[in-house]
Amino acid sequence: PAPAGLPGDPDPEEAVSDDSSRHGGRVRGFPHERGNWATHVYLPYIAQEEFLELLELLVCRARTYVPSLAAMEEFHLSLSQCVVLRYHWIEPFVRSLRERLAAFHRFFCVADQVKVYTNQNKTRTFIGLEVSAGHFQLLELVSEVDGVLEEFDLPTFYKDPSFHISLAWCVGDLSGRLEGQCLRELQDIVDGFEESAFLLRIQWEQIRCKSGNKYFSFPLR
């Protein structure tokens, strides 16, 4: 039976289509099945106007190497992979997350190193800002999130992760075009941006979990 207290229909409202042309050519990491909810734990980052100005500079320069590059519309730092939850697991999964994360305090990190990433199956390439300070606190959070994932026999986070905020993406593995000279030019833009030292020192205030079309928030103390 569906658990009590969860809003929405146990049949996911996320109308599903695997037509990649409807979402910029992106390809699902795993096939959709009814009753399976794609789930992700992350730290949300609310972009300020100055951050969007920096983003525009970076994307404009990177597009001289990869014209198909698209800027991200929302920003976050991942604490888990995208995993699959059955509908009736959502409530106990969120409850376990809340219990494990309750003791954590707000903290700062610095994300100021430009880096190029690809997803696991090489269908997308990303430009991101890698964390250069605050790594220890992020590993502590991941350890607790991993503990919850293990309870549900789900894949844990990457070993030795490169924590980052994705800024832009494109379809396919175009990392070869973005690394080298392009990457050096992008790092110069970040280093020379007037507000970067203040802007890229980020205070994390909450953790979120997105499962299908539902969002759960866990404020840090």
Side-chain angles (χ1 to χ4, degrees):
L6 272 177
D9 191 321
D11 239 347
E13 298 156 21
E14 32 180 349
V16 177
S17 166
D18 284 327
D19 180 2
S20 64
S21 66
R22 295 181 61 186
H23 34 83
R26 287 173 288 180
V27 177
R28 283 183 176 276
F30 42 80
H32 173 78
E33 293 180 22
R34 290 174 71 86
N36 282 355
W37 289 51
T39 301
H40 178 219
V41 183
Y42 61 95
L43 292 159
Y45 176 62
I46 307 303
Q48 307 298 316
E49 184 177 345
E50 294 85 356
F51 182 85
L52 296 177
E53 290 174 6
L54 174 59
L55 175 66
E56 184 176 1
L57 291 173
L58 292 170
V59 172
C60 284
R61 179 64 60 86
R63 279 180 180 153
T64 64
Y65 293 85
V66 176
S68 62
L69 205 67
M72 304 293 289
E73 296 179 358
E74 295 182 352
F75 307 93
H76 66 266
L77 188 150
S78 292
L79 298 175
S80 79
Q81 300 187 58
C82 188
V83 298
V84 176
L85 275 183
R86 299 297 293 171
Y87 178 80
H88 58 278
W89 290 352
I90 297 174
E91 186 179 42
F93 182 86
V94 170
R95 183 170 60 245
S96 187
L97 271 180
R98 197 175 300 282
E99 290 170 356
R100 283 180 172 265
L101 299 174
F104 280 89
H105 291 260
R106 299 178 182 186
F107 66 98
F108 286 94
C109 76
V110 177
D112 59 359
Q113 300 300 303
V114 186
K115 193 166 178 179
V116 175
Y117 299 89
T118 56
N119 62 355
Q120 283 182 302
N121 50 10
K122 305 290 185 182
T123 59
R124 284 196 282 168
T125 305
F126 299 85
I127 294 173
L129 286 174
E130 185 183 32
V131 167
S132 61
H135 201 263
F136 176 75
Q137 291 94 327
L138 292 169
L139 285 175
E140 285 191 316
L141 284 177
V142 165
S143 176
E144 295 301 330
V145 174
D146 277 353
V148 177
L149 293 166
E150 287 171 347
E151 289 176 29
F152 292 83
D153 199 25
L154 293 169
T156 55
F157 204 43
Y158 309 106
K159 302 302 178 190
D160 193 24
S162 172
F163 294 110
H164 64 279
I165 299 171
S166 291
L167 303 176
W169 68 279
C170 61
V171 174
D173 182 1
L174 299 182
S175 54
R177 295 193 207 173
L178 292 169
E179 290 170 341
Q181 181 62 29
C182 177
L183 196 59
R184 287 190 289 272
E185 291 177 14
L186 297 180
Q187 188 64 57
D188 286 344
I189 290 173
V190 169
D191 294 343
F193 193 71
E194 185 178 359
E195 301 287 336
S196 64
F198 167 77
L199 192 60
L200 302 179
R201 184 175 184 264
I202 302 164
Q203 183 179 35
W204 302 112
E205 299 185 349
Q206 64 171 303
I207 299 164
R208 280 191 195 153
C209 174
K210 180 180 186 292
S211 188
N213 56 5
K214 302 183 187 303
Y215 292 83
F216 304 91
S217 181
F218 314 95
L220 296 171
R221 297 171 60 186

